[in-house]
Each structure stands twice: as C-alpha cells, then as structure tokens.
Amino acid sequence: MSDTALASAPLAQPAKVPAIRRKRFNAYRAIQAASMLIIALVIVSPLFLLAVASLKDDRFQILADMGTFRAFWVSNPTLANFAEVAHFSGELAFGRYLLNSLIILFATVVGGLVVNSMAGFVLAWGSLRGRAVILALVIALYVIPQESIIMPLVIMVSRAGITDGFAVQIVPWIASPLYTFLFYQFFAQLPKDLFEAAEMDGASVFRVYRSIFLPLSLPALATVSILMGIEAWNQYLWPILVTQTDYARPISVAIATFFGQDSIFWDRAMAASVLMMLPILAFYLAFQRWFVSSFVGSAIKG
Amino acid sequence: MGKRLLLASSVAAILAFSASAEAKTVIKMMHQGDPGWVAAYGDLAKRFEAENPDVDIELIYAPHDAYNEKFSAAVMAKQLPDIMELDAPFLANYVWSGYLAPIKDVIDADVLSDMTESNIAQGTYAIDKQLYAIGLTDSSVVLYGNRKYLEKIGARIPKSVDDAWTREEFEANLEKLSKVEGVKWPIDTFRGYGIKTEWITYAYSPILQSAGCDLIDRKSWKSEGMLDSQPCVDAMTMMQNWVNKGWVVPQSSGTNQFYAEGHPAALALGGHWFYAEAAAAMKDDVVVMPLPKFGAKGASPDGTWIWGITTASKHPDIAGKFVSFMLKDKAYRDYAKSQSAYPGLKSFAAESPLYAPGGALAVAFEQASKTAVPRPPHPAYPAITAAYMQAVDKIFNKGDVKQALSDAAQKIDEDIADNDGYPPFNGEQ
C-alpha cells in the first residue's frame, strides 16, 4: 500500500481499545521497591566485596580499604591470589580440599535423601505403631542445636573408631529430624487415593514409596538437597574436631588456615572463599526452580 | 601350582609390607599456624623421617581460633597426640589436669641448657618446678611509632627500657598526635584481633601490672580485691578514655592501620611479629620503643606457643627426640627468623641480629630480662583470661569500669572455688 493510498483511504473507525491509563504514583509500591532494593544491596554487597577483594594482590590493602567505598573497587585486578591458592602444594593442596568437600556434600545429600525420605514416608503412610509419638520425638529433636550435642558425638564416633575420614563427616549428618519432617509433611499432603490404589494393585509399601510417591516429590527432594548441601558444605567445627590429617579435611577448614596466630592472609582467604562459594552457588542455581516452588507450595499449604 | 605359588608370594609380600608399616612408630603432633608455618612443620617432619626411617610423624592441624575446641575434643575422645603445641599461659591448667608430662629427661641436654630464662619460666610448672614445655621462640609487645609523626610533635624517643615513656608523657603524646594532620588515630592497640584470641590479656594485662595491680593476687590466688582494685580501675579507665576520645583504632578497622596507606595510626602497641610487616611497608620510619611505664615500674608480656609431650604418648623418648630435632633444625630456624621470631633459645638469639644490641628489636629482647611478667601460671588461667577479655570488651563499649572488673574478678574466684582452689594451689598437698 502506497503512501498515497493511505492518504486517500477513508478514516477507519478507531477500534475500541482500552484507554491507556496513566499510572498514578503509588507511594506504597515505591517504598516497597526501595526496600527491596536496599535488602538486595545488603545481601549482594558482601558477596561483591568478597569478589572484588579476591582480585586485589595486597592483603594489607584489602584491610586498609575495608570500611571505605574503595572496598568495592579494584584498580589493578589480578588473579594472582587464585593462582596461589590453586597451586598451594603439600599440606595445603587446595584442589584436594575442594574434592573432599564435594565428596562429603554428595554422599551426605544422597544418603540424606534416601534415609530422610524413607523415614518421612513411613511416618506419613506406614503402618508403624506409635507413629505420632515418633513424629513428636522427631520434631522435639529438631529444636536441639547441633553444637550442644557435638562433644558427646565426638566421643561416640571415636569409640566407634570412625575418626579422621569421610565416614565420620558424612554418617552423623545423614539422618536429620528437620529433613525427615519436611518429607513427612510433603508426603502427608499427597492424596490418600494414590496410596490406596497402589495397595489394591498389590504394591508393597516400598514399591509405593519408590514408584509413586518419590517421583512426585521433586520439589521436596530439591529443597532438602539444597539445604543439606549447604549445611554439609559449610561444616566447620565438626571437621575440625574429628579430622586429624589432611586426608579428608574439607575446604572450610583449609580456608581457616589463612587466619594464623600472627597474620591473616586476607588476599588468599578471599580468593579461596570465592572458590568455595562457586560450587554451592552452581548447586543452588541448578535446583532453585524446585526449591522456590517447594517453599511457595509449603507457604500456601501452611 | 603356578597360581598357588603366585598367591603364596603375594600373601607373603602383603604380610611383609604390613609388618614394615607396623614397625614404624607413629608420633602425632598437634599444632596451629598459618600456611607458612604449616608448610615448615611439614618439611621438618619429612627431614626427621628421612633421618629416622622407622618413625612416621603425623601432623594434626587445628586452626588458631579453634585450637582449644580441637584440644578439648581430643581430650574427651582420648585421642591426645604425642606432642602438642600449647599457649604458654595454659600450661599450668594442662599440667594440673594431667595432660602433660615432664620433658627434661627426653629433650637433648644441649637444647635444655640453651633455653633463656623466660623460656624456662614459661615452660615450668610452679608447683613441682619441673619443665613441661619448650619452645624455639618467645614473645613480647613493644610500642611502635611513626618517626615522622613523632618528630612533628617533638617527642622524645626512648632508646632502652630504662628510659621508657611515663604515663603522663605517653598520654600527652597521644593528645598531641591526635591533632597532627594525617593522623586518624593516635594509637592502634590491635583491637582487631578480637576477643576470641589471647591478645587482650596478653597485651593489656602488663598495663595493669605496670600500674601496680594484676589479674589475680599471685600469693592468695584471689582476684577480688586485686583485679577490681583502684589501680586496675584507674588503668582501665585510662584505656576507656583513649577509646572514648577516638584515639584508638576501632576493632572494625582491622590490624594494619599503622602502616596502611596514609599511615592513619601514629603509634601501635604491637607484638614483636608486627615488626616484619611494618618495616616492609614503612622502612626506616618505624621506631621501636619499650612499653610505657604506667606506674612505678615497667611491665611487658612474654610467653608464646611452645611444645609439650602429653601423658598419653607411648613413645615420649621419640617425641622428645623430634622436639629436640625441631629446635635445632636450621631450615626451621631460618623460617622462624624470616618471621622475625623472638628468640627463646640463646643460640637462636645469637643467630638473630634483629634482637641483638643495635638490632631493630633489641629493646624488645631487653624487656624479656627487665620487665617481662608471665601471665598467671595457675590452672584457672582459662577462666582468668576469658573473664578479663569480657571485662575489657564491656569497658571499651562504654561499660562501667569498676562493675566490669568486679564481675570478672567474681567469675575468676567462682571458678577457683568450683575447683576447690585447684589443690595444691590452695596450699593443700
């Protein structure tokens, strides 16, 4: 259609489109947005500071910059700290510590998913007598802080002869009242018909768990994976107490080495912290969709 | 037949290997330290193992901040190592608790005769006068000054312990320094080390002792009436005033404001180890001075991390052999020197020009013989240091000085009472 044609065409009746309403300034929304921005800054700024500091080559400069806006800026970025951390040899083979942490994380999460989901399922649908009492005990155990039982646990594991290895850093943390309860809550909310139909078809309790309920519990599995993973990754006091040598020592303890009696190697500690953060960040990003949906679901269902 | 022979020879080889592995004596050594020290211990163990192929040195590392927790866990799990590094003021508690064994018979005689008086004092248990620990190093705290700032205010620079600044001189200099352009804080007392480390008790209690009081009465072993006495209240009020006037580097500003860009702190009440870092950044602008006298006499701290052999060791002789080897090892000494380590052995002092007369830290070494006061050698020391550190924290955060010190003294005395006076420290045998 030419321009002339356009010009000579009768003016069409304007279609009824909803009038564009000028958005009025909404003070509530503005405050909400500003609050969210501030919260986001508070959460992100330490991570940003960490990343920036890891690119500074002078540990004294890092300290001097702290408390000023220079802490968020690096004029001559360098990867020297990462190179130093990665190539630390002998007693402080950083890659080995990273691998140790990954092994501990993986084994704890896999073991935790199996044990806690089974326990949660039995508590929700099993024919066990006294389920209510056991459930109450599980909830009661949840409120006991880890630190308060840590010394008795040290004695137990040393008597069991499983100190200084991977097992001692994995086994005690597989069964968890919190995650058992999370799975229980999730399974208990699934329709009873599912369980009864499977039972009528002759499926055993384990079969119902494995073939029907477990595939439906992806959000719960993701949530527990992330929470357990973060917990396992950040363990600090426990590995210090139970590990004797470098063999199975995790990265969190390795980073503490940079905080010496007389000197603190902030540059290397920052680079090591960034390296420590990356795997768990990737882990979270991989599962976050289910993680968020599980939490939203939990909130709706109460 | 061939398969059987192969199987038999394999079993024999495995048994022989197991036997050789079992034949090795394992000596476990628990230690702390930054990456440099950790590597130094690793290398040291390798050198010892090369000379003693029948011994396997197993190093057990614990981060500095979590060392006591690790030690407690080892005690509870009955997994004490053969050799342990310990902070000297905790020695009395460990010996009283039965964790440490006397070492005189298992350490080489030439090493024992090489110890400085301060080294002997920090490793000796007051009750039986036996030596329970030994170290290559010792420690002290000095007053570092920025030469340019001191020249600006025309301050006298003391050359020896005998002409240390008096309290009046020191406070007048702080006042003057607070007005000098470029000085953000007149002094860094290293609050940045926090209250989780031993720093506060180690570095600040000599101020009390110089002022004429102490953390605890060292005869009656009672803190009430001593820690909350008027001289202590005055001394801590003085320190609180420094903080209130904004003269002291705050805890949040870290531990390097003396030599950070722009040199915002004019003085630093710092450990001997601080010299290496400060001198690297400031060169000749660093002045090392003795700690000021806050009363009639001067006082300075001593004691550091030293080596003891535990009662759990099945091979104290081999453990002692390793400790002797470590203290004489040249490479280990060289590394210690590179960290400006304060000598605890006479031969090591002779190798350390930094501490010899005319050396940059000569005044620090002079303090060891003239003003050093060990921290209270009493089994209640863990309670003493914890209570005092909490009191200082309260005082620096505008708490009531008298109340904070009284509370601390009460806590200390309660701990001693709860342990029946830690006999025989209460006079009972």
Side-chain angles (χ1 to χ4, degrees):
Chain A
M1 195 181 279
S2 69
D3 290 350
T4 321
L6 264 176
S8 58
L11 285 172
Q13 199 71 17
K16 279 195 175 177
V17 288
I20 300 168
R21 287 183 192 161
R22 178 175 287 177
K23 280 189 181 171
R24 282 192 302 177
F25 177 73
N26 187 326
Y28 172 73
R29 277 181 169 273
I31 292 169
Q32 199 180 33
S35 307
M36 284 166 70
L37 186 70
I38 290 167
I39 293 168
L41 279 174
V42 167
I43 293 168
V44 171
S45 56
L47 300 177
F48 184 67
L49 186 147
L50 177 74
V52 167
S54 71
L55 300 172
K56 294 179 182 175
D57 198 17
D58 183 352
R59 66 184 165 117
F60 305 125
Q61 193 59 49
I62 292 172
L63 266 183
D65 290 349
M66 287 292 169
T68 69
F69 280 110
R70 284 185 305 174
F72 296 97
W73 179 251
V74 51
S75 44
N76 297 307
T78 170
L79 294 175
N81 297 327
F82 291 93
E84 265 191 70
V85 166
H87 293 123
F88 234 113
S89 58
E91 300 294 322
L92 292 166
F94 199 80
R96 174 59 193 262
Y97 292 130
L98 198 64
L99 180 69
N100 287 349
S101 280
L102 286 169
I103 291 169
I104 293 162
L105 180 144
F106 184 75
T108 309
V109 170
V110 170
L113 290 179
V114 172
V115 169
N116 295 307
S117 67
M118 286 171 107
F121 181 76
V122 169
L123 286 173
W125 295 105
S127 53
L128 197 69
R129 274 190 187 178
R131 275 189 301 154
V133 177
I134 296 171
L135 186 65
L137 276 174
V138 166
I139 296 167
L141 283 174
Y142 166 56
V143 299
I144 297 173
Q146 196 191 91
E147 287 74 16
S148 65
I149 57 160
I150 211 153
M151 282 303 175
L153 208 53
V154 168
I155 297 170
M156 280 174 68
V157 296
S158 72
R159 296 222 173 127
I162 56 164
T163 51
D164 198 25
F166 288 104
V168 71
Q169 296 181 76
I170 296 163
V171 175
W173 311 115
I174 283 180
S176 156
L178 170 65
Y179 306 129
T180 298
F181 181 69
L182 271 178
F183 275 114
Y184 160 79
Q185 212 182 15
F186 189 86
F187 289 135
Q189 284 162 357
L190 293 175
K192 198 177 178 184
D193 301 350
L194 278 175
F195 188 84
E196 287 174 349
E199 232 182 2
M200 282 173 71
D201 287 346
S204 65
V205 173
F206 181 72
R207 182 72 195 271
V208 178
Y209 155 78
R210 196 196 58 175
S211 304
I212 299 173
F213 280 70
L214 205 58
L216 290 172
S217 63
L218 266 183
L221 289 168
T223 305
V224 172
S225 296
I226 288 174
L227 293 177
M228 278 196 104
I230 292 171
E231 210 174 289
W233 193 255
N234 291 336
Q235 280 280 8
Y236 176 66
L237 186 58
W238 180 249
I240 283 174
L241 298 183
V242 296
T243 57
Q244 308 289 327
T245 60
D246 281 341
Y247 167 66
R249 193 164 283 157
I251 192 170
S252 55
V253 181
I255 288 178
T257 315
F258 296 119
F259 296 81
Q261 177 193 345
D262 303 329
S263 317
I264 298 175
F265 296 84
W266 287 107
D267 44 357
R268 281 175 263 172
M270 294 290 183
S273 300
V274 169
L275 290 175
M276 181 181 170
M277 204 172 62
L278 290 178
I280 203 73
L281 199 64
F283 188 67
Y284 174 79
L285 290 174
F287 287 97
Q288 68 157 344
R289 191 159 59 91
W290 292 290
F291 182 67
V292 173
S293 71
S294 169
F295 262 64
V296 171
S298 301
I300 292 166
K301 289 164 194 163
Chain B
M1 183 65 191
K3 277 185 183 174
R4 279 187 188 174
L5 190 65
L6 184 67
L7 184 68
S9 54
S10 303
V11 169
I14 290 167
L15 286 174
F17 179 76
S18 313
S20 71
E22 278 173 16
K24 278 199 170 191
T25 304
V26 177
I27 296 293
K28 294 183 176 181
M29 182 174 98
M30 194 162 101
H31 67 95
Q32 46 96 50
D34 61 40
W37 284 106
V38 172
Y41 297 136
D43 294 343
L44 183 78
K46 280 176 199 155
R47 287 193 292 276
F48 183 79
E49 286 165 353
E51 281 188 21
N52 301 273
D54 54 337
V55 180
D56 191 8
I57 301 292
E58 196 175 285
L59 298 172
I60 302 169
Y61 168 76
H64 180 69
D65 286 353
Y67 196 83
N68 288 338
E69 287 84 349
K70 174 80 179 170
F71 177 70
S72 302
V75 168
M76 293 185 84
K78 297 197 169 107
Q79 287 185 331
L80 276 178
D82 298 271
I83 303 166
M84 68 171 289
E85 195 176 13
L86 65 136
D87 202 359
F90 287 76
L91 181 129
N93 181 276
Y94 293 166
V95 176
W96 185 83
S97 303
Y99 304 143
L100 293 179
I103 57 169
K104 197 181 168 191
D105 294 338
V106 295
I107 300 291
D108 291 356
D110 58 335
V111 176
L112 291 173
S113 62
D114 199 20
M115 295 173 78
T116 61
E117 288 303 313
S118 176
N119 198 353
I120 294 169
Q122 67 175 331
T124 303
Y125 184 53
I127 297 296
D128 62 10
K129 313 285 184 216
Q130 292 225 57
L131 189 71
Y132 283 84
I134 186 170
L136 173 67
T137 60
D138 202 334
S139 73
S140 194
V141 167
V142 290
L143 186 66
Y144 295 94
N146 181 313
R147 190 183 299 279
K148 284 180 183 158
Y149 292 142
L150 291 177
E151 282 172 358
K152 270 188 189 172
I153 63 165
R156 178 178 71 85
I157 296 177
K159 300 282 185 223
S160 79
V161 171
D162 301 325
D163 64 341
W165 284 346
T166 60
R167 172 179 170 170
E168 292 71 29
E169 207 175 358
F170 177 60
E171 289 204 286
N173 286 336
L174 288 179
E175 174 90 52
K176 286 179 197 166
L177 286 166
S178 69
K179 291 166 186 159
V180 171
E181 195 186 334
V183 174
K184 193 171 176 187
W185 300 285
I187 189 165
D188 189 354
T189 60
F190 294 93
R191 294 182 63 196
Y193 287 137
I195 58 165
K196 187 78 175 74
T197 69
E198 177 61 9
W199 174 254
I200 284 178
T201 310
Y202 170 71
Y204 300 175
S205 61
I207 295 175
L208 304 183
Q209 288 140 7
S210 178
C213 59
D214 206 340
L215 297 166
I216 190 166
D217 186 312
R218 299 190 188 213
K219 286 181 182 156
S220 67
W221 296 116
K222 291 249 182 287
S223 187
E224 283 181 286
M226 176 56 82
L227 181 56
D228 52 358
S229 65
Q230 201 52 45
C232 273
V233 173
D234 287 346
M236 291 312 301
T237 305
M238 170 187 75
M239 291 190 80
Q240 189 185 50
N241 286 338
W242 302 345
V243 174
N244 290 348
K245 285 177 179 171
W247 288 354
V248 180
V249 174
Q251 190 172 349
S252 57
S253 292
T255 56
N256 74 320
Q257 295 305 319
F258 181 67
Y259 56 85
E261 190 184 338
H263 304 154
L267 300 171
L269 186 85
H272 68 271
W273 58 87
F274 183 69
Y275 177 78
E277 296 174 1
M282 294 170 67
K283 308 283 186 300
D284 291 340
D285 279 345
V286 183
V287 177
V288 181
M289 298 176 284
L291 289 180
K293 284 183 205 165
F294 293 95
K297 56 172 187 167
S300 60
D302 69 356
T304 188
W305 287 74
I306 48 182
W307 303 98
I309 296 171
T310 70
T311 47
S313 177
K314 289 176 182 157
H315 308 283
D317 51 334
I318 302 173
K321 191 177 173 185
F322 178 68
V323 172
S324 300
F325 177 89
M326 170 164 59
L327 299 180
K328 289 191 260 190
D329 184 77
K330 188 182 178 302
Y332 176 64
R333 284 183 173 211
D334 286 346
Y335 182 73
K337 259 189 282 180
S338 75
Q339 302 299 300
S340 66
Y342 188 104
L345 296 180
K346 292 171 207 161
S347 62
F348 186 48
E351 294 168 14
S352 309
L354 201 59
Y355 294 91
L361 285 169
V363 78
F365 200 60
E366 187 191 355
Q367 286 186 156
S369 57
K370 291 186 175 171
T371 56
V373 180
R375 282 157 280 175
H378 190 275
Y381 185 75
I384 295 171
T385 186
Y388 178 62
M389 284 196 286
Q390 281 171 6
V392 171
D393 196 41
K394 279 183 201 163
I395 290 166
F396 282 6
N397 286 296
K398 301 188 191 296
D400 182 79
V401 176
K402 173 79 179 168
Q403 188 63 49
L405 292 177
S406 293
D407 290 348
Q410 199 180 331
K411 268 187 205 166
I412 293 165
D413 288 349
E414 274 172 13
D415 177 82
I416 292 173
D418 287 348
N419 289 282
D420 302 323
Y422 290 95
F425 279 83
N426 60 354
E428 290 175 15
Q429 289 297 320

